[in-house]
Amino acid sequence: MRNTIVSLISIILGLVAGGILMLFIGSNPIEGYSYLLQGALKNLERIGNTLATATPLIFTGLSVAFAFRTGLFNIGASGQMLVGGLAATAVALTFDLSRPILLLVMVLAGLVAGALWAFIPGLLKAKFNVHEVVSTIMMNWIAYWTIYYIVPGYFKGEFLETESKKLAESDTLRTPFLTEMFDGSYINLGLFLAVIAVIIIAFIIEKTTLGFELKAVGFNRFAAEYAGMKVNRNIILSMLISGALAGVGGVALYTGNASSIQIGILPAQGYDGIAVALLGANHPVGVFFAAVLFGILYSGTGFMNAMTEIPPELANTIIAIIIYFAATSVMIERLLNKFKAKKSNKEDKSGPVVEKGDS
Amino acid sequence: MSYVVEMLNIRKEFPGIVANDNITLTLKKGEIHALLGENGAGKSTLMGVLFGMYQPERGLIKVNGKEVKITNPNVANRLGIGMVHQHFKLVENFTVTENIILGSEPLKGMVLDIDKAAKRIEELSKHYGLNVDPHAKIEDISVGMQQRVEILKMLYREADVLILDEPTAVLTPVEIDELMKIMRNLINEGKSIIIITHKLKEIKAVADRCTVIRRGKGIGTVNVAESSEASLAEMMVGRHVSFKVDKKESTPGEVVLKIDSLSVKNNRKVMGLKDFSLEVRAGEIVGIAGVEGNGQTEIVEAITGLRKAESGTILISGEEITNLPIRQRNEKGISHIPEDRQKRGLVLDYSLVSNMVLQIYNKQPFSKRGLLNFPAMKAYAQNIIENFDVRSGEGASSIARTLSGGNQQKAIIGRELELDPKLLIAVQPTRGLDVGSIEYIHRRIIEHRDKGNAVLLISLELDEVLQLSDRIAIVNNGELVGEVIAAETNENEVGLMMAGVGKERSI
Ligand SMILES: Nc1ncnc2c1ncn2[C@@H]1O[C@H](COP(=O)(O)OP(=O)(O)OP(=O)(O)O)[C@@H](O)[C@H]1O
Ligand SMILES: [Mg+2]
């Protein structure tokens, strides 16, 4: 509840600050925001695209949030997305399977690849106490260069050396049913996978012995060890799950929103996942809504930019400001407390003074 | 009479509980003022209010006769108020100097002037007889010295009013004597001290006046010279407290714990326990006496599985457990009240409910096929909370962190006894408990023995070891010096043996 309020206040403050920036560059903030919203939600196609933009962010947000709840800081969602996307792309380009089976295998391949990519930092942490921030960042670059060589080497595109061969429409997560429903949007099955992931992760964290254990290790590994939990195994397991989520996020991005994988790019969604998790207070449902908000901001900027003088970078700025406020949530909480204290003091004074008798 | 601090009619509420209800406490210049009350009575909270960590809902604070609003600890520092917390917090891998200057770093131009600070700390340390090395790292020094670092920190910031929240709970008897000496030095230098402690002996020894609170309400302030330990205890608990432990003769049964030539390394990677052998039988309490750091931790952690045994064997009811994982040892009937309740004993961010099933959440009825059964967990926790009188604002749903130190301890003891272990390893079980709770916990431990279980008791308090144990094993420098029968020995004999003077006696 409190977290929700803090997040909402951060968002409002971020939007207000964005409005002030718009004023500074001589634009009308009301107009700016109205075009931003129109760009994101004006018609079914745009709504679909907004949701599709949010999909990978839901995955990476969940990935970071899950790791965080268990005491780990997974900065490696980008790399895990890349290898997940690569694995799914490779499956699609290599095997000739019927569509449902192919999609299933693609998702599983992405899941496993992402999990494996996170397994290494997990293992390093458990065995040699290597901090996961360092090792997951390193894994990002290893993924980056792996893609750099494998894609042109084995899955080269027809026209461009710098991206993989385009997947056939029937080999992607896009389905005619959704595309038609949203008037030709690139919204795809990834969104359903994301919603399922939100439910599963929330369930694991709140209701299972696994979640109980993982959280205990995250809060206090010494007490967890004392109680007989296998701390190292839990660290690895937690990284596996976190990586799997990001891996499927990569599948959604590269074989759902897009049809190919580019070399030389670490997907920004990986790092945005940290922001999404933070704004969503590391809660699966919170992550979902935070990702949708980011989706709106990202997909609305193009339209805003086309209709006004406001540069598209403004969306990033607003997001940065929101995150800044969310990250300094302590400040906001203090403010809330002060507000509350003032209010109760007032009540004290205005109300009748009752002497509490010592019994 | 001039008061340095006056806290008048203070009220502080937390969700579900009034921690301070109309409490008044006045501190005279140059006095040592004791604050006494049961676990959860509201002592730490009251001091938190004075130190600016909590804002009172009602009441007035005056410092040197002037009304003040202490909105945060920085304000308290500026007013000359310093505090050493019940669970003190120093940065482990920083040096003493770095810890002390943290937050008020001295600058030489733009750079940190560490040397100047270190020199000043050294002077202060000498002046007050604190004996602290300003260049030592916190992780390398004893708890007692860490405490003196906290005291130095207050002196460095030129505090005149020093608040010590249960400073002696973590100290060895020798360190406690030293602390008292230091406190007297401080008074001679014109400082004033508020000390929280559950040990009435200490109040009698150093304090001038004592304010007693009970369940958040002020009971009164008395001159210590005019009151006895018994009267103080009665004032605090509201009933007569017996300090003697009544217990029947023990009737030892078969061997439950058998340790054979056990050697274990300590944190510095040298043998902290050498060739140690001990038996504990069903129906007896065996105490381990020794100066802190003479192998006790190594014994306990080797039995519970937190530390690897280098050589030797450990058997439970004849079954070897030397290399078993911790959970399997628990399942064989070992349970453990750990020395450090906040590091090992509790997940502070978990509710009491979760903490009460910390070892058994994966067993029926608390879970089934990996799914937690919250109603069963809650009922189980509530039962422990009632039996052991664990007081908190929101009952079983309270987050462990919000409990008072003593109530955290009671919750752990309750959890471990509720497991009904064949072997109970109790390390400093009554650390931080009020006299009433100590009486109760001692009774429960003896009851546990009488049900035919084995108890291994490790305590730095010789009194407790002598009163509770049937048999006492004395360790020195990681080796067993000898064993004595509790009923046939006395403080002197055990004290000598703790210093390493051997004694052979067959039992
Ligand atoms: N931050 C907090 N949030 C909620 N409740 C709190 C908080 N701090 C203390 N309490 C509650 O207030 C009461 C008084 O706690 P306090 O720590 O002052 O006790 P105490 O007298 O110091 O006890 P002890 O001797 O065990 O240390 C307890 O019931 C505790 O659960
Ligand atoms: Mg306390």
Side-chain angles (χ1 to χ4, degrees):
Chain A
M1 188 55 216
R2 205 175 184 101
N3 284 331
T4 317
I5 295 175
V6 170
S7 293
L8 288 179
I9 292 179
S10 309
I11 293 167
I12 293 168
L13 289 176
L15 292 177
V16 169
I20 294 172
L21 277 179
M22 289 182 205
L23 274 180
F24 266 127
I25 52 176
S27 300
N28 180 349
I30 307 218
E31 202 181 58
Y33 278 127
S34 112
Y35 282 124
L36 184 91
L37 276 183
Q38 284 180 38
L41 307 167
K42 190 160 88 164
N43 52 39
L44 278 175
E45 185 195 353
R46 285 184 188 268
I47 292 177
N49 291 350
T50 298
L51 289 174
T53 309
T55 301
L57 292 172
I58 298 174
F59 278 109
T60 53
L62 270 184
S63 166
V64 175
F66 183 80
F68 198 79
R69 289 289 288 268
T70 63
L72 296 165
F73 208 10
N74 180 14
I75 315 268
S78 286
Q80 293 144 15
M81 281 179 86
L82 270 182
V83 293
L86 176 69
T89 305
V91 166
L93 292 175
T94 314
F95 300 108
D96 195 13
L97 301 165
S98 72
R99 180 171 152 90
I101 308 239
L102 180 75
L103 291 187
L104 189 68
V105 176
M106 281 165 63
V107 170
L108 285 179
L111 184 145
V112 171
L116 278 178
W117 219 249
F119 169 76
I120 297 170
L123 190 73
L124 287 175
K125 167 129 190 164
K127 288 270 180 250
F128 306 108
N129 206 15
V130 177
H131 202 285
E132 71 276 9
V133 166
V134 178
S135 53
T136 50
I137 291 179
M138 270 165 41
M139 291 305 287
N140 279 348
W141 291 104
I142 298 177
Y144 176 97
W145 290 109
T146 307
I147 305 295
Y148 202 94
Y149 288 104
I150 289 192
V151 165
Y154 299 93
F155 306 108
K156 192 160 68 184
E158 278 157 81
F159 310 109
L160 278 172
E161 288 264 340
T162 55
E163 65 176 35
S164 65
K165 204 154 107 196
K166 282 244 164 355
L167 301 185
E169 191 65 19
S170 65
D171 289 356
T172 70
L173 292 175
R174 292 187 291 277
T175 69
F177 138 73
L178 272 176
T179 312
E180 274 157 34
M181 196 166 109
F182 284 91
D183 282 345
S185 154
Y186 54 89
I187 189 171
N188 57 73
L189 293 173
L191 183 65
F192 290 120
L193 293 176
V195 171
I196 294 170
V198 166
I199 294 168
I200 293 179
I201 293 300
F203 185 76
I204 291 180
I205 291 181
E206 305 295 343
K207 303 270 187 238
T208 65
T209 54
L210 176 68
F212 185 93
E213 223 174 271
L214 291 174
K215 275 187 296 178
V217 172
F219 281 134
N220 181 351
R221 58 186 292 182
F222 300 106
E225 183 190 14
Y226 155 90
M229 301 172 191
K230 296 211 164 59
V231 171
N232 286 339
R233 198 203 62 171
N234 281 317
I235 287 174
I236 294 176
L237 193 60
S238 169
M239 279 309 276
L240 278 175
I241 295 174
S242 175
L245 286 165
V248 180
V251 178
L253 178 63
Y254 294 112
T255 73
N257 292 8
S259 310
S260 64
I261 187 165
Q262 285 78 33
I263 69 167
I265 296 172
L266 270 175
Q269 285 88 344
Y271 293 107
D272 282 344
I274 302 169
V276 171
L278 189 69
L279 189 61
N282 294 311
H283 192 285
V285 177
V287 162
F288 178 86
F289 285 114
V292 170
L293 174 75
F294 280 30
I296 291 173
L297 290 175
Y298 278 133
S299 74
T301 39
F303 191 65
M304 176 180 75
N305 183 39
M307 304 303 288
T308 65
E309 297 286 284
I310 304 165
E313 285 77 18
L314 193 85
N316 279 320
T317 314
I318 293 174
I319 287 177
I321 296 171
I322 291 176
I323 291 316
Y324 183 79
F325 283 118
T328 49
S329 58
V330 188
M331 231 165 56
I332 295 180
E333 283 202 28
R334 278 234 180 102
L335 234 75
L336 280 177
N337 281 339
K338 234 182 215 149
F339 184 68
K340 236 177 70 188
K342 277 231 178 79
K343 229 173 78 185
S344 69
N345 267 356
K346 242 191 228 142
E347 278 160 15
D348 272 4
K349 276 175 200 140
S350 55
V353 184
V354 182
E355 273 296 315
K356 281 259 159 74
D358 264 25
S359 46
Chain B
M1 189 70 228
S2 68
Y3 292 114
V4 260
V5 171
E6 293 162 83
M7 300 183 79
L8 305 171
N9 308 96
I10 301 293
R11 179 183 178 89
K12 175 71 205 161
E13 298 167 22
F14 288 118
I17 197 163
V18 183
N20 290 163
D21 186 0
N22 202 21
I23 296 186
T24 293
L25 181 146
T26 53
L27 179 67
K28 291 179 190 164
K29 187 160 174 48
E31 80 165 336
I32 299 182
H33 194 116
L35 182 54
L36 180 67
E38 289 176 289
N39 296 126
K43 305 178 294 296
S44 298
T45 305
L46 186 66
M47 291 302 103
V49 168
L50 181 54
F51 193 55
M53 298 188 313
Y54 301 125
Q55 299 310 309
E57 264 80 37
R58 221 169 288 173
L60 206 66
I61 302 178
K62 289 189 193 170
V63 173
N64 294 321
K66 267 206 289 292
E67 185 180 340
V68 290
K69 278 253 172 305
I70 307 178
T71 45
N72 62 55
N74 289 332
V75 176
N77 278 334
R78 252 177 273 135
L79 290 169
I81 299 170
M83 178 162 178
V84 178
H85 298 281
Q86 189 166 3
H87 306 99
F88 41 80
K89 293 232 174 308
L90 295 164
V91 184
E92 288 266 306
N93 52 1
F94 272 24
T95 66
V96 169
T97 305
E98 286 165 341
N99 265 289
I100 288 177
I101 62 176
L102 210 62
S104 60
E105 296 86 348
L107 295 179
K108 189 158 74 186
M110 287 278 283
V111 289
L112 203 58
D113 193 355
I114 288 240
D115 293 333
K116 192 173 134 213
K119 225 175 115 220
R120 181 126 177 267
I121 290 166
E122 189 139 31
E123 281 165 17
L124 280 172
S125 165
K126 253 208 210 97
H127 188 78
Y128 291 99
L130 290 170
N131 193 18
V132 168
D133 171 9
H135 304 289
K137 273 207 177 147
I138 296 301
E139 57 196 359
D140 298 330
I141 63 179
S142 71
V143 183
M145 200 185 285
Q146 289 183 16
Q147 178 129 68
R148 298 203 293 277
V149 173
E150 290 275 16
I151 294 175
L152 259 179
K153 197 158 144 189
M154 297 191 292
L155 297 174
Y156 184 84
R157 299 190 180 169
E158 296 173 344
D160 291 317
V161 175
L162 312 182
I163 307 168
L164 304 173
D165 192 350
E166 291 196 38
T168 57
V170 291
L171 298 186
T172 64
V174 179
E175 287 172 331
I176 292 176
D177 287 344
E178 279 169 17
L179 178 68
M180 305 223 161
K181 240 180 261 151
I182 293 168
M183 285 170 61
R184 290 195 192 97
N185 285 346
L186 289 166
I187 294 304
N188 289 337
E189 297 287 330
K191 313 272 180 197
S192 316
I193 298 177
I194 302 177
I195 179 175
I196 300 178
T197 176
H198 291 293
K199 300 179 195 167
L200 304 167
K201 225 170 31 184
E202 294 168 2
I203 296 182
K204 283 296 286 178
V206 290
D208 302 305
R209 292 193 303 154
C210 176
T211 294
V212 181
I213 59 181
R214 191 196 302 158
R215 292 187 181 249
K217 292 203 163 70
I219 300 296
T221 302
V222 294
N223 286 325
V224 173
E226 293 154 21
S227 17
S228 65
E229 285 183 35
S231 71
L232 286 174
E234 199 163 332
M235 203 170 157
M236 155 177 130
V237 187
R239 64 175 167 88
H240 180 73
V241 184
S242 126
F243 293 96
K244 271 269 150 286
V245 180
D246 291 318
K247 66 179 207 281
K248 291 182 303 209
E249 186 93 351
S250 73
T251 47
E254 84 258 35
V255 177
V256 173
L257 170 70
K258 186 175 166 63
I259 302 176
D260 199 18
S261 332
L262 185 67
S263 294
V264 184
K265 281 190 180 153
N266 63 16
N267 285 345
R268 275 166 281 128
K269 303 272 179 276
V270 296
M271 285 300 169
L273 188 70
K274 291 162 246 172
D275 206 21
F276 180 86
S277 299
L278 183 75
E279 280 182 4
V280 184
R281 293 170 178 275
E284 72 169 346
I285 300 177
V286 174
I288 293 188
V291 178
E292 192 188 21
N294 274 274
Q296 295 97 321
T297 310
E298 288 76 16
I299 298 174
V300 170
E301 296 196 343
I303 302 173
T304 52
L306 289 165
R307 197 181 284 259
K308 197 166 109 278
E310 297 301 321
S311 64
T313 53
I314 305 166
L315 282 78
I316 289 289
S317 302
E319 274 181 88
E320 174 155 4
I321 59 156
T322 321
N323 295 310
L324 284 187
I326 295 169
R327 177 161 290 162
Q328 284 183 39
R329 297 186 200 219
N330 292 346
E331 285 165 358
K332 294 218 181 298
I334 300 181
S335 95
H336 170 198
I337 299 166
E339 175 177 12
D340 189 336
R341 57 176 168 249
Q342 299 210 329
K343 180 179 176 196
R344 289 279 183 204
L346 294 168
V347 177
L348 286 174
D349 296 300
Y350 265 180
S351 65
L352 267 180
V353 173
S354 296
N355 272 297
M356 290 305 97
V357 295
L358 206 57
Q359 295 104 330
I360 48 172
Y361 62 91
N362 58 344
K363 310 249 179 339
Q364 296 248 28
F366 309 113
S367 66
K368 213 167 166 183
R369 278 183 239 103
L371 294 189
L372 294 169
N373 177 353
F374 290 101
M377 284 162 59
K378 185 154 187 190
Y380 182 81
Q382 258 157 356
N383 181 38
I384 296 178
I385 289 169
E386 253 162 57
N387 282 340
F388 287 83
D389 188 26
V390 180
R391 297 179 195 172
S392 62
E394 295 163 291
S397 315
S398 306
I399 301 299
R401 190 182 293 285
T402 69
L403 263 63
S404 79
N407 282 299
Q408 291 177 351
Q409 184 73 14
K410 285 197 273 181
I412 296 174
I413 299 174
R415 176 182 71 201
E416 298 308 311
L417 279 172
E418 192 68 24
L419 293 171
D420 197 21
K422 251 196 303 197
L423 171 66
L424 174 70
I425 302 175
V427 188
Q428 306 273 23
T430 55
R431 176 176 273 185
L433 295 191
D434 64 56
V435 285
S437 305
I438 291 178
E439 183 191 15
Y440 179 70
I441 296 301
H442 281 173
R443 223 174 39 233
R444 289 298 303 253
I445 291 178
I446 291 165
E447 243 173 66
H448 192 64
R449 172 199 82 164
D450 291 342
K451 278 199 284 178
N453 300 299
V455 178
L456 184 64
L457 171 75
I458 289 95
S459 176
L460 296 177
E461 274 177 65
L462 210 43
D463 276 352
E464 185 169 49
V465 176
L466 281 165
Q467 282 191 1
L468 217 49
S469 315
D470 300 310
R471 203 148 52 83
I472 302 172
I474 294 103
V475 288
N476 177 273
N477 197 19
E479 286 175 276
L480 183 68
V481 180
E483 285 181 20
V484 293
I485 292 179
E488 297 170 5
T489 188
N490 56 43
E491 219 165 298
N492 268 343
E493 187 184 33
V494 177
L496 273 178
M497 290 173 77
M498 279 164 58
V501 181
K503 173 177 170 85
E504 288 311 313
R505 187 195 291 196
S506 52
I507 291 179

